[in-house]
Amino acid sequence: MSLITCPLHTAARRFGEALAIDGQGHPMSYIELDGRVSALCHHLQQQGVRAGHHLGYIGKNRLEGILLLYAAMRLGAVFVPLSPRFPEAQQQQLITELRIQWLWHDEASPVECTARPLTLTSGYEPTLWRFDASAPVSMILTSGSSGHPKAAMHHTLNHLAAAEGSQDRTPLAKGDRWLLSLPLFHIGGLAILWRCLGCGATVVLPDSPDPAEALANQALTHLSLVATQLKRILDREQGTELLGSLKVLLLGGGPIPAPLLEALKSLPLKALTSYGMTEMGSQITTGPANAEGLSGFPLAGRQVRIEEGIIQVRGESRFLGYYRDGNLETPFDHEGWFSTKDRGQWVGEQLKVLGRADNMFISGGENVQPEAIEAVLKRCEGVEEAVVVPVPDEEFGLLPVAVVKGDWDEAALNRRVMKKLPRFMRPRRYLPWSPALETGSLKVSRARVMEWVTRLDKKD
C-alpha cells in the first residue's frame, strides 16, 4: 500500500489560481478543480460508489470525464472510459466483461445495460484526501487492431511515472496549454491529463473537433497529432501561421513525410516523434521528428531491450496487467519485462520500430513485413495512408496487396518500392481506399482492411 496525498490536492496547493482546464466554457483553476472533485467524491459515495468499483464513462472529451477520473482516483475506484463509437452491442458486452457497476453517458438515451447510471454534481467542497496510489485507478482498452481489445490496468503511480518521464524530452510547464485532442479512452489522451497535473499546465478542452480551429482560437502551446492531421493543417491557407504559437508538436510514431518536416523547419517549435503503447502509460521513447522512422531515445524511468529482434520494456510506468473475467493477467517474465511483440533495432542510441511480429508473413519463402512497405509508400507524394495485407496465391502462398489513401500514381509507387525494398516485397496490387475502412479510431484496423480485401476478391 502506498498512501499519498492526492496529486490534484498537491497541484492545487502548488499552482493555486493557475488554469487547470480551459475550453468548452469551463475555465477552472487548480483550486476550483480540487474543490469540484472533492464535492463529486462525496456525491458519488452517497450514490453508493465504493473503493474497487468500476466507473464507466462513454462520452467525448468533456469536463465530466476529467472530474470522474480524479474522483475515481480519490475513492479508490477504477475509471473505465469506452469509445462512444463502439456499436451498442459491443458497449453492452464490454460493460459486462469489465464488470462496470456504474456508468456515465453523455447521450440522452444511453446504452441499456446492467450498470447503474451515475449523476455528477457541480458543487464545491475543498477537502484533503489521502489514498492508496498503488490501487488500480484506470482500465484502458488496447487498440484491438486485430482480435478483441484487452483492458490494460494501471494505478496512480504508473500514470505519475509516465508523466514524469515524459518531461525528459517533452518539456511542459505552468502556463503551457496542451489540447486534449486525443480521446480519453485512448492512453494518449489520458496521459495529457497526468502530464499537465504534475507541472501546473492547462488541459485545453477542444471547442471544435478540428485541431486547426483550436490552433486559431485557443492559444495552444502543445499539440499531439498524427501525420495526416498535420498535412491537413499545412494544406490550409495560412496553415504554417496556425502552428506559430506552438512550443511542442508531438507526432505519432513512424516515419514523417519529408515535405512535412521541411514545412516545419521555419517554425520555432520542437517537433517530436515517439513510440508508445497503452501498457506503458503512453510514451516509451521520444526524439526529433524524422523521415527515417526513428522513434527516439528511451525516456527516464523506462527500460528498453531487444531480445531475438523483439522489443521488451519495463519500468515504473508499466501496467499492472490485463483485466479479464475479474482477474488480472500479468504477462511479464520473472524480471518484470513485457514483450511488446513489436520488432525493433537500435540505430545508435535511438530505437527504430520495424513492425509487429504477428503481422509478418511468408511469400515464396521470404519474410515480408507489411510495415516496412507501408513506411516507403507513406513517403510517396499524394499518399495519406497505406495498409499492406497478405492475400492467398497458388504459387507464392501469400502476396502483398496495398490499400492506399490519397491522390497517387501506381507507377510512381512501384518505382519507389523497387528502389527501396527487395523485389519480393513489391505489392502485386494497389487498391484505392474505401470509406468502409474508416472507423473514427486513431489507428487503422488491419483486420478490417483484410476483411474488406477478402470480400473484394470474392466479388471478383
Side-chain angles (χ1 to χ4, degrees), residues 1-7 50-52 69-79 128-138 153-160 194 320:
M1 181 178 291
S2 300
L3 287 177
I4 66 170
T5 300
C6 171
R50 297 291 181 265
L69 167 65
Y70 291 144
M73 173 181 68
R74 287 183 169 176
L75 295 174
V78 183
F79 179 68
L128 175 62
W129 288 78
R130 286 177 63 83
F131 69 101
D132 182 8
S134 62
V137 71
S138 68
M153 182 171 270
H154 293 84
H155 55 42
T156 299
L157 294 176
N158 295 146
H159 288 302
L160 294 176
W194 296 101
L320 301 173

Side-chain angles (χ1 to χ4, degrees), residues 20-42:
I21 298 172
D22 199 9
Q24 297 181 9
H26 297 297
M28 190 176 297
S29 71
Y30 275 94
I31 289 177
E32 291 171 322
L33 179 59
D34 182 43
R36 285 285 298 273
V37 171
S38 292
L40 177 56
C41 285
H42 292 299

Side-chain angles (χ1 to χ4, degrees), residues 90 142-150 340-342 356-360 371 389 441 443-451:
Q90 187 177 11
T142 58
S143 61
S145 57
S146 60
H148 194 62
K150 298 178 180 179
T340 67
K341 298 181 181 174
D342 288 325
R356 295 285 296 173
D358 47 12
N359 288 338
M360 189 171 68
E371 289 91 343
V389 295
S441 174
K443 294 183 180 179
V444 177
S445 168
R446 195 173 294 275
R448 190 183 186 96
V449 175
M450 187 72 243
E451 291 171 4

Side-chain angles (χ1 to χ4, degrees), residues 62-111:
R62 294 173 46 158
L63 173 62
E64 288 87 349
I66 298 174
L67 295 174
L68 193 58
L69 167 65
Y70 291 144
M73 173 181 68
R74 287 183 169 176
L75 295 174
V78 183
F79 179 68
V80 191
L82 301 178
S83 172
R85 299 189 184 99
F86 284 156
E88 184 173 319
Q90 187 177 11
Q91 291 178 1
Q92 292 174 338
Q93 180 184 0
L94 288 168
I95 287 168
T96 301
E97 288 182 0
L98 303 179
R99 302 192 180 183
I100 294 174
Q101 293 104 322
W102 303 88
L103 178 67
W104 188 89
H105 200 300
D106 67 357
E107 295 293 334
S109 301
V111 60

